[in-house]
Amino acid sequence: MAVYQTVIGEGISDLAQILKEGKIDAITFTSSSTVRNLVELLKPASLSEMLKNITTACIGTIIAKTIEELGGNVNLIAKEYTIAGLLKALVQYFGGDIDELE
């Protein structure tokens, strides 16, 4: 019996356009399946093409490896492999005050 199942949603119909226009500063990945699902939603465009001007953050090294294997670039990996750790890494990356989070 499966505890949970990851599936591709319907997506955002204009996601590719939003990415191309640079309307997104950063994209986060919390699992390898989220990377693979994004690649599927963006077809036929490549991951590297669609995310070239967007900060790519991931929660851990396994996910970073998946991004790189699929042609993407990783800008940051959380030191602590949790959502809180990912948030801290993003705040630091963009020059924010990490103490304000605690």
Side-chain angles (χ1 to χ4, degrees), residues 70-92:
L70 295 174
N73 182 47
V74 177
N75 298 101
L76 62 106
I77 302 170
K79 291 178 184 172
E80 178 184 319
Y81 300 163
T82 63
I83 297 296
L86 184 57
L87 179 59
K88 286 179 183 179
L90 281 164
V91 169
Q92 288 177 323

Side-chain angles (χ1 to χ4, degrees), residues 5-18:
Q5 182 178 5
T6 303
V7 296
I8 297 177
E10 293 179 25
I12 302 170
S13 61
D14 56 349
L15 177 60
Q17 189 63 33
I18 291 169

Side-chain angles (χ1 to χ4, degrees), residues 10-57:
E10 293 179 25
I12 302 170
S13 61
D14 56 349
L15 177 60
Q17 189 63 33
I18 291 169
L19 293 172
K20 283 181 188 176
E21 292 174 0
K23 293 182 177 180
I24 296 175
D25 294 318
I27 188 164
T28 61
F29 294 102
T30 56
S31 70
S32 290
S33 63
T34 60
V35 180
R36 288 189 288 275
N37 289 347
L38 181 64
V39 168
E40 191 65 32
L41 286 172
L42 295 176
K43 278 185 177 176
S46 71
L47 189 63
S48 62
E49 174 188 345
M50 297 307 292
L51 302 182
K52 66 182 173 187
N53 296 316
I54 298 169
T55 298
T56 305

Side-chain angles (χ1 to χ4, degrees), residues 54-70:
I54 298 169
T55 298
T56 305
C58 55
I59 203 167
T61 56
I62 292 172
I63 301 155
K65 184 176 178 183
T66 301
I67 293 168
E68 291 168 352
E69 287 173 352
L70 295 174

